[in-house]
Amino acid sequence: LHRLEGLFKRYGHPLPKQVMWDMLKRVDELVARPVLRQMKRELLQEEVLHSDETPVTMRQEGGKGTLTGYAWEWRSLRAIETPKVLLEFKTSRGRDGPIRFLEDWSGTLITDGYSGFDEVTRRNGIVRAGCWAHARRKVKKALDQGIRDAVDVMRPVQRLFWLERAIDRRVGRLGMDQAAHLALRQEIRAKRCVRVIERIYEMVDELLEKRSTLPKSLLGKALKYLSRQKRPLSVFLDDPRVPIHNNDTERDLRHLAVGRKNWLVFGSQRGGDVACRLYSLVLSCKQAGVDPETYIEDLLGRISTTPASEIASLMPWAWAEARPSTAPATA
């Protein structure tokens, strides 16, 4: 807002950042809050969810410096339907964030190995699915450092990703529907991926027993992560709905990370709350192929006359279905 204020001023149209902030708050109150309340209800009806978080610096009130807050993302599956994307701002990375958001939800949750999800997983009986992209990243660091044993682990890990890409290519080439896609995943994973996972953990066990594998080395840390996450990282073998990675969520959060390089900080906790809700709207519009500006402008004129019982019709995906001529949003 500070930069926009200067930009408008140079073009001869003074627009104080406080005025722009007031406008953002009104969009949040009129559109984002009611839409995202409904979106959360729909998200918690899903059987499989993604989640991840990213740090954001927040300026404290009263000039007391800054602290690190976190934008938590919750996302539905891409392969099943148009994904629902919801971000929440929290001043902590602790377990309270997942506990309060999920409430009594129980299903399969795709995350990295962060322990902040452990309590809600235990309490709700959630199936925790791991992320092979995180595991691969740790092995890659050891490989980049020139540790030769990392090559033996990296090869079968890469094989997992190659098999998943081959499945997606076949689905696209044959124009398979969702049921056929999941059936093919189940078949290939049972025939091929099971053996690959067995090979990976044979290598992990062998290398952990080698005296040359130092526990605090990059390879040692990667092997410990793989060993500790063996059960979550194997969930995808029994559930074809589950992707092998959490990359879709990371791609969403990259939008916030790129913006963070420009705006640097949230000016307050209220600013973080509003920003994450508006990011949620924009990211959900992108997933639905909806132009965010057109969508928000339309809802500003309609939401006050839409009964609470019909709020689901204003979700970006429902709004897009009702307007087949809507131009897709650019990436």
Short mmCIF file of all heavy atoms in Angstrom, two decimals, residues 20 46 60 62 65 71 73 82 87 104 110 121 124 133 137 142 157 178 189 206 217 223 232 286 304 314 322 331:
data_model
loop_
_atom_site.label_atom_id
_atom_site.label_comp_id
_atom_site.label_asym_id
_atom_site.label_seq_id
_atom_site.Cartn_x
_atom_site.Cartn_y
_atom_site.Cartn_z
N MET A 20 -6.86 3.05 1.16
CA MET A 20 -6.78 1.75 0.49
C MET A 20 -6.95 0.62 1.50
O MET A 20 -7.58 -0.41 1.20
CB MET A 20 -5.45 1.62 -0.25
CG MET A 20 -5.36 2.52 -1.49
SD MET A 20 -3.85 2.22 -2.46
CE MET A 20 -2.65 3.16 -1.50
N GLU A 46 -14.28 -32.77 2.93
CA GLU A 46 -13.39 -33.57 2.10
C GLU A 46 -12.77 -34.69 2.93
O GLU A 46 -12.59 -34.56 4.15
CB GLU A 46 -12.26 -32.70 1.53
CG GLU A 46 -12.74 -31.53 0.68
CD GLU A 46 -13.19 -31.98 -0.71
OE1 GLU A 46 -12.78 -33.08 -1.13
OE2 GLU A 46 -13.92 -31.22 -1.36
N GLN A 60 4.79 -5.62 15.27
CA GLN A 60 3.98 -5.57 16.48
C GLN A 60 3.46 -4.16 16.74
O GLN A 60 4.09 -3.17 16.36
CB GLN A 60 4.81 -6.03 17.69
CG GLN A 60 5.27 -7.47 17.59
CD GLN A 60 5.88 -7.96 18.89
OE1 GLN A 60 5.18 -8.17 19.87
NE2 GLN A 60 7.20 -8.13 18.89
N GLY A 62 2.52 -0.77 18.73
CA GLY A 62 3.22 0.02 19.73
C GLY A 62 4.71 0.13 19.48
O GLY A 62 5.46 0.49 20.39
N GLY A 65 8.77 -3.74 17.72
CA GLY A 65 9.57 -4.58 16.84
C GLY A 65 8.71 -5.52 16.02
O GLY A 65 7.53 -5.26 15.76
N ALA A 71 1.54 -18.22 7.78
CA ALA A 71 0.36 -18.39 6.94
C ALA A 71 0.18 -19.89 6.74
O ALA A 71 1.02 -20.56 6.14
CB ALA A 71 0.56 -17.69 5.60
N GLU A 73 -1.82 -23.00 5.12
CA GLU A 73 -2.70 -23.29 3.99
C GLU A 73 -3.37 -24.65 4.16
O GLU A 73 -2.74 -25.61 4.61
CB GLU A 73 -1.95 -23.29 2.65
CG GLU A 73 -2.88 -23.62 1.49
CD GLU A 73 -2.22 -23.57 0.14
OE1 GLU A 73 -1.11 -23.03 0.04
OE2 GLU A 73 -2.83 -24.07 -0.83
N THR A 82 -12.14 -29.17 -8.65
CA THR A 82 -11.47 -27.88 -8.53
C THR A 82 -11.02 -27.68 -7.08
O THR A 82 -11.84 -27.73 -6.16
CB THR A 82 -12.41 -26.74 -8.92
OG1 THR A 82 -12.84 -26.93 -10.26
CG2 THR A 82 -11.70 -25.40 -8.80
N LEU A 87 -6.22 -19.94 3.29
CA LEU A 87 -5.08 -19.56 4.12
C LEU A 87 -5.57 -18.91 5.40
O LEU A 87 -6.54 -18.13 5.38
CB LEU A 87 -4.17 -18.58 3.39
CG LEU A 87 -3.04 -19.15 2.51
CD1 LEU A 87 -3.63 -19.90 1.33
CD2 LEU A 87 -2.11 -18.05 2.03
N ASP A 104 -13.07 -31.45 14.70
CA ASP A 104 -13.19 -32.90 14.84
C ASP A 104 -13.05 -33.63 13.51
O ASP A 104 -13.44 -34.80 13.39
CB ASP A 104 -14.53 -33.24 15.50
CG ASP A 104 -15.72 -32.75 14.68
OD1 ASP A 104 -15.52 -32.01 13.69
OD2 ASP A 104 -16.88 -33.08 15.03
N ILE A 110 -2.20 -34.69 4.13
CA ILE A 110 -0.91 -34.74 3.45
C ILE A 110 -0.07 -33.56 3.91
O ILE A 110 -0.44 -32.40 3.69
CB ILE A 110 -1.10 -34.69 1.92
CG1 ILE A 110 -2.05 -35.80 1.47
CG2 ILE A 110 0.26 -34.82 1.21
CD1 ILE A 110 -2.60 -35.58 0.08
N THR A 121 -3.42 -35.17 14.77
CA THR A 121 -3.44 -36.48 14.13
C THR A 121 -3.82 -37.56 15.14
O THR A 121 -4.66 -38.42 14.88
CB THR A 121 -2.06 -36.80 13.52
OG1 THR A 121 -1.75 -35.83 12.51
CG2 THR A 121 -2.05 -38.18 12.90
N ASN A 124 -7.64 -36.93 16.59
CA ASN A 124 -8.76 -37.14 15.67
C ASN A 124 -8.69 -38.47 14.91
O ASN A 124 -9.57 -38.77 14.12
CB ASN A 124 -8.83 -36.00 14.64
CG ASN A 124 -9.22 -34.68 15.27
OD1 ASN A 124 -9.20 -34.53 16.48
ND2 ASN A 124 -9.57 -33.71 14.45
N ALA A 133 8.50 -35.22 -1.90
CA ALA A 133 9.30 -34.08 -2.37
C ALA A 133 10.19 -33.55 -1.24
O ALA A 133 11.34 -33.17 -1.47
CB ALA A 133 8.39 -32.97 -2.89
N ARG A 137 14.26 -33.73 -1.28
CA ARG A 137 15.04 -32.51 -1.09
C ARG A 137 16.18 -32.73 -0.11
O ARG A 137 17.29 -32.21 -0.30
CB ARG A 137 14.10 -31.40 -0.59
CG ARG A 137 14.54 -29.99 -0.88
CD ARG A 137 13.42 -29.02 -0.56
NE ARG A 137 12.27 -29.26 -1.40
CZ ARG A 137 11.01 -29.10 -1.01
NH1 ARG A 137 10.74 -28.73 0.22
NH2 ARG A 137 10.02 -29.32 -1.85
N ALA A 142 22.42 -33.79 0.33
CA ALA A 142 23.59 -34.65 0.55
C ALA A 142 24.28 -34.94 -0.77
O ALA A 142 25.52 -34.98 -0.85
CB ALA A 142 23.14 -35.95 1.22
N VAL A 157 14.25 -43.01 -5.42
CA VAL A 157 13.33 -41.90 -5.13
C VAL A 157 12.90 -41.24 -6.43
O VAL A 157 11.71 -40.95 -6.65
CB VAL A 157 13.98 -40.88 -4.17
CG1 VAL A 157 13.11 -39.64 -4.05
CG2 VAL A 157 14.20 -41.50 -2.80
N GLN A 178 -11.98 -39.75 -13.77
CA GLN A 178 -11.40 -39.85 -12.43
C GLN A 178 -11.31 -41.29 -11.94
O GLN A 178 -10.28 -41.72 -11.39
CB GLN A 178 -12.24 -39.04 -11.46
CG GLN A 178 -11.78 -39.12 -10.01
CD GLN A 178 -12.77 -38.47 -9.07
OE1 GLN A 178 -13.37 -37.45 -9.39
NE2 GLN A 178 -12.95 -39.05 -7.91
N ARG A 189 0.97 -48.55 -8.71
CA ARG A 189 1.60 -48.46 -7.41
C ARG A 189 1.76 -49.84 -6.78
O ARG A 189 2.78 -50.12 -6.13
CB ARG A 189 0.79 -47.54 -6.49
CG ARG A 189 0.90 -46.07 -6.87
CD ARG A 189 -0.02 -45.19 -6.03
NE ARG A 189 0.19 -43.77 -6.33
CZ ARG A 189 -0.47 -42.78 -5.74
NH1 ARG A 189 -1.39 -43.05 -4.82
NH2 ARG A 189 -0.22 -41.53 -6.07
N GLU A 206 20.71 -50.14 5.29
CA GLU A 206 22.13 -50.44 5.07
C GLU A 206 23.02 -49.25 5.40
O GLU A 206 24.05 -49.39 6.06
CB GLU A 206 22.35 -50.87 3.62
CG GLU A 206 21.78 -52.22 3.26
CD GLU A 206 21.94 -52.53 1.79
OE1 GLU A 206 22.68 -51.79 1.10
OE2 GLU A 206 21.32 -53.51 1.31
N SER A 217 25.53 -35.63 9.65
CA SER A 217 25.81 -35.24 8.27
C SER A 217 24.50 -35.05 7.51
O SER A 217 23.44 -35.48 7.96
CB SER A 217 26.67 -36.33 7.58
OG SER A 217 25.90 -37.51 7.40
N LEU A 223 18.55 -39.75 5.94
CA LEU A 223 18.19 -41.13 6.24
C LEU A 223 17.29 -41.23 7.48
O LEU A 223 16.34 -42.01 7.51
CB LEU A 223 19.46 -41.96 6.46
CG LEU A 223 20.38 -42.11 5.24
CD1 LEU A 223 21.66 -42.82 5.64
CD2 LEU A 223 19.68 -42.86 4.11
N PRO A 232 4.11 -42.64 7.11
CA PRO A 232 3.41 -41.62 6.29
C PRO A 232 3.81 -41.66 4.82
O PRO A 232 2.96 -41.47 3.93
CB PRO A 232 3.83 -40.30 6.94
CG PRO A 232 4.21 -40.65 8.34
CD PRO A 232 4.80 -42.02 8.25
N LYS A 286 -7.98 -18.60 -9.05
CA LYS A 286 -7.00 -19.12 -10.02
C LYS A 286 -7.25 -20.60 -10.29
O LYS A 286 -7.23 -21.04 -11.45
CB LYS A 286 -5.59 -18.91 -9.49
CG LYS A 286 -4.51 -19.45 -10.43
CD LYS A 286 -3.11 -19.27 -9.85
CE LYS A 286 -2.07 -19.90 -10.77
NZ LYS A 286 -0.71 -19.78 -10.25
N SER A 304 -24.85 -9.10 -0.64
CA SER A 304 -25.79 -8.60 0.37
C SER A 304 -27.22 -9.07 0.11
O SER A 304 -28.05 -9.08 1.03
CB SER A 304 -25.75 -7.06 0.40
OG SER A 304 -26.15 -6.54 -0.85
N LEU A 314 -21.90 -18.83 -4.51
CA LEU A 314 -20.93 -17.77 -4.73
C LEU A 314 -19.48 -18.24 -4.58
O LEU A 314 -18.56 -17.43 -4.69
CB LEU A 314 -21.19 -16.61 -3.74
CG LEU A 314 -22.57 -15.96 -3.83
CD1 LEU A 314 -22.66 -14.80 -2.85
CD2 LEU A 314 -22.89 -15.50 -5.24
N ALA A 322 -21.55 -21.31 -13.38
CA ALA A 322 -22.72 -20.55 -13.80
C ALA A 322 -22.41 -19.55 -14.91
O ALA A 322 -23.32 -19.00 -15.51
CB ALA A 322 -23.31 -19.80 -12.60
N ALA A 331 -1.84 -17.43 -15.17
CA ALA A 331 -1.03 -17.96 -14.08
C ALA A 331 -0.14 -16.89 -13.51
O ALA A 331 0.27 -15.97 -14.21
CB ALA A 331 -0.17 -19.11 -14.60
#
